[in-house]
Amino acid sequence: GKLSRVRHVITYSLSPFEQRAFPHYFTKGVPNALRRVQASVLRAAPPFIAFYLVYTWGTEEFEKS
């Protein structure tokens, strides 16, 4: 029940049967994720590419020796 009364505080509740688990997941969530990946790929890809090139070079040099 309501044990205390707090002024200027409004609380809302919603039944679990009225909630939607994944609202707009495919219409807004997936395109937003693709947009974020596209925006950050130029910042994130060069270090990975450089690491891959250094790793393959190092592995080849190790195999030679």
Side-chain angles (χ1 to χ4, degrees):
K2 295 183 180 180
L3 297 177
S4 65
R5 181 172 173 238
V6 180
R7 295 179 355 160
H8 306 294
V9 175
I10 300 171
T11 59
Y12 296 96
S13 64
L14 185 63
S15 169
F17 299 107
E18 296 178 18
Q19 296 180 12
R20 291 172 32 188
F22 298 104
H24 308 293
Y25 180 73
F26 292 105
T27 58
K28 293 183 181 176
V30 173
N32 188 32
L34 293 175
R35 180 188 56 83
R36 288 177 177 225
V37 167
Q38 184 180 10
S40 66
V41 73
L42 292 177
R43 235 179 307 156
F48 284 108
I49 293 171
F51 175 75
Y52 176 75
L53 292 174
V54 168
Y55 178 78
T56 54
W57 172 80
T59 305
E60 289 175 4
E61 289 296 317
F62 177 74
E63 292 296 327
K64 284 180 187 177
S65 65

